[in-house]
């Protein structure tokens, strides 16, 4: 039986730091063999899969009759998992095709510089996080956010239920905490509560130490490590960092500003199809999970089901039911920008009206 590879969060975070550090240095165009493996349609050697994304809700413009579908690329920032399920659903349900798009999804992994790939025009769309977008734009990267899958960040702190903690504040009163202190959410928690009462150790990417030590707590994605720990017989209790006031959008679809200026209808079409794909996935993830499971054999079918269910309330909220899946607000972006400046991540926040120009 396979368990989710918990190292994914650790590796993704390291890759994210490396990627953002090099944002102004746009990488040369990758060949098919150099880039992350695709959706298996263009090459029999590619195991990863394909996907979609999404922004505004303007009425669709019907594609020209008999016009060839526009070929576009979407770069994921990790391997196929439920957090990308709506993109696969958009492809399989024909939502992309209906919008006149032939979408190739490039699987991601540690070290894949998605922001650079988008800014440099190597791919049309990519997946990032809201804090990464603001950092990248502050450094001159030509990227714009379009659609936010996760309205609530899945970033959490996991402890043992037997400790009786009711919040992250309780967790930070004693014991050992495995966390990467240089990341924005960790800096936020440290500033709010202090880490002087816990023993802070590096996060090693697994759950073995957690399972073995009742006084051990660690960073996690609520859709991953708690599932793995529970299936190993442990008693995980996870608390969202978002509940503490730090809640960046996650799984954010981005494009380059130049593409938005040159072909806004293509961008809108991609967003519409993505939104439809996520509706489909949330209604029934079965087909998309089966497809992703073939592309990501490290995760078994039971874990796909559990992760899809765990992420549902983070994607579907009261606001998305009113305004549509993927909605983003300037207020949320303004709050995040101020927090990143306050934490010293940014010297100065980029103008949010310019950041959100493609969502108007």
């Amino acid at each position: 039986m396979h368990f989710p590879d918990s190292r994914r969060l650790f590796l993704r975070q390291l890759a994210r730091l490396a990627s953002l550090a090099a944002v102004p240095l746009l990488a040369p165009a990758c060949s098919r063999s150099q880039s992350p493996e695709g959706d298996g349609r263009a090459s029999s050697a590619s195991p990863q899969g394909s996907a979609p994304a999404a922004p505004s809700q303007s009425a669709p413009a019907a594609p020209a009759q008999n016009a060839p579908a526009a070929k576009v690329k979407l770069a994921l920032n990790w391997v196929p998992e439920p957090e990308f399920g709506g993109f696969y659903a958009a492809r399989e349900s024909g939502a992309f095709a209906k919008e006149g798009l032939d979408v190739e999804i490039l699987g991601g992994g540690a070290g894949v510089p998605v922001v650079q790939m988008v800014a440099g025009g190597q791919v049309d769309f990519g997946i990032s996080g809201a804090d990464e977008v603001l950092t990248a734009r502050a450094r001159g990267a030509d990227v714009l956010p379009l659609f936010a899958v996760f309205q609530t960040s899945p970033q959490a702190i996991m402890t043992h239920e037997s400790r009786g903690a009711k919040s992250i504040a309780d967790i930070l009163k004693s014991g050992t905490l495995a966390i990467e202190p240089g990341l924005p959410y960790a800096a936020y928690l440290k500033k709010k509560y202090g880490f002087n009462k816990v023993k802070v150790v590096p996060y090693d990417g697994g759950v073995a130490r957690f399972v073995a030590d009742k006084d051990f707590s660690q960073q996690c994605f609520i859709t991953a490590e708690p599932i793995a720990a529970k299936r190993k017989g442990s008693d995980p209790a996870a608390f969202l960092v978002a509940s503490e006031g730090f809640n960046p959008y996650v799984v954010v679809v981005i494009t380059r500003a130049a593409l938005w200026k040159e072909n806004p209808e293509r961008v809108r079409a991609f967003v519409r199809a993505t939104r439809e794909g996520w509706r489909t996935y949330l209604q029934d993830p079965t087909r998309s999970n089966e497809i992703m499971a073939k592309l990501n054999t490290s995760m078994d079918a039971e874990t796909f089901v559990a992760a899809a269910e765990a992420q549902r309330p983070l994607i579907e909220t009261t606001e998305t039911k009113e305004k549509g899946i993927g909605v983003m607000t300037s207020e949320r972006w303004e709050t995040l920008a101020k927090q990143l400046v306050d934490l010293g991540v940014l010297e100065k926040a980029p103008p949010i009206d310019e950041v959100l120009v493609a969502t108007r």
Side-chain angles (χ1 to χ4, degrees):
M1 180 179 292
H2 295 291
F3 294 96
D5 183 359
S6 328
R7 292 179 302 167
R8 71 184 185 90
L9 176 58
F10 175 60
L11 293 172
R12 179 185 293 180
Q13 289 165 330
L14 291 183
R16 164 169 137 179
L17 294 177
S19 172
L20 291 178
V23 157
L25 304 175
L26 300 179
C30 296
S31 69
R32 182 72 176 154
S33 62
Q34 294 170 322
S35 63
E37 293 178 349
D39 57 19
R41 295 178 296 169
S43 167
S44 61
S46 86
Q48 287 290 19
S50 222
S56 84
Q57 299 188 49
S58 53
Q65 197 140 22
N66 300 322
K71 293 183 179 296
V72 299
K73 293 181 179 181
L74 169 67
L76 306 182
N77 59 358
W78 199 250
V79 298
E81 292 186 353
E83 66 191 88
F84 306 122
F87 301 115
Y88 289 91
R91 186 191 69 184
E92 296 305 310
S93 69
F96 282 132
K98 185 174 69 174
E99 293 287 354
L101 301 174
D102 179 5
V103 179
E104 179 184 4
I105 301 168
L106 303 179
V112 177
V114 173
V115 172
Q116 290 175 260
M117 291 166 69
V118 173
Q122 297 164 37
V123 296
D124 305 280
F125 303 95
I127 301 300
S128 185
D131 51 346
E132 297 169 77
V133 172
L134 290 177
T135 303
R137 282 193 62 86
R139 295 177 177 176
D142 179 44
V143 294
L144 297 173
L146 305 172
F147 181 99
V149 175
F150 282 77
Q151 299 294 304
T152 303
S153 170
Q155 188 73 61
I157 302 297
M158 179 172 75
T159 192
H160 289 270
E161 189 173 337
S162 58
R163 291 183 63 188
K166 302 299 182 184
S167 67
I168 290 178
D170 290 340
I171 296 173
L172 298 178
K173 291 177 180 178
S174 64
T176 300
L177 174 66
I179 196 170
E180 292 301 309
L183 296 173
Y185 81 90
Y188 178 86
L189 292 177
K190 184 176 182 180
K191 183 170 184 176
K192 184 173 183 178
Y193 293 117
F195 287 170
N196 56 309
K197 294 181 180 179
V198 293
K199 178 182 179 183
V200 176
V201 298
Y203 173 60
D204 66 6
V207 296
R209 292 176 68 186
F210 178 86
V211 172
D213 186 351
K214 292 294 185 181
D215 289 323
F216 190 88
S217 303
Q218 68 175 69
Q219 66 183 50
C220 69
F221 268 14
I222 204 166
T223 56
E225 285 85 350
I227 296 172
K230 188 172 183 179
R231 292 181 65 183
K232 289 188 175 182
S234 192
D235 62 336
F239 298 88
L240 290 168
V241 176
S243 299
E244 299 295 337
F246 189 78
N247 186 26
Y249 292 115
V250 177
V251 187
V252 177
V253 179
I254 61 174
T255 192
R256 63 186 182 281
L259 178 60
W260 167 249
K261 293 175 184 177
E262 295 163 8
N263 201 333
E265 179 49 34
R266 180 171 297 175
V267 174
R268 292 189 185 105
F270 189 79
V271 168
R272 288 192 298 265
T274 296
R275 180 170 287 112
E276 184 174 333
W278 273 103
R279 288 194 196 104
T280 298
Y281 185 77
L282 290 169
Q283 288 170 3
D284 185 359
T286 305
R287 175 59 179 156
S288 296
N289 282 350
E290 289 173 352
I291 293 167
M292 290 187 290
K294 292 177 181 177
L295 303 168
N296 176 11
T297 57
S298 68
M299 182 181 287
D300 63 23
E302 186 178 345
T303 302
F304 266 101
V305 172
E309 188 60 29
Q311 72 183 20
R312 179 184 295 274
L314 309 181
I315 297 170
E316 255 187 332
T317 65
T318 300
E319 188 170 29
T320 65
K321 290 176 181 177
E322 294 175 357
K323 300 178 181 178
I325 297 168
V327 65
M328 300 184 296
T329 68
S330 57
E331 291 78 13
R332 286 275 300 273
W333 282 91
E334 291 279 5
T335 296
L336 176 62
K338 291 176 182 177
Q339 289 175 328
L340 294 178
V341 170
D342 187 47
L343 293 170
V345 176
L346 298 178
E347 289 186 11
K348 181 180 180 182
I352 298 303
D353 285 346
E354 295 178 11
V355 172
L356 299 180
V357 65
T359 67
R360 306 304 183 194

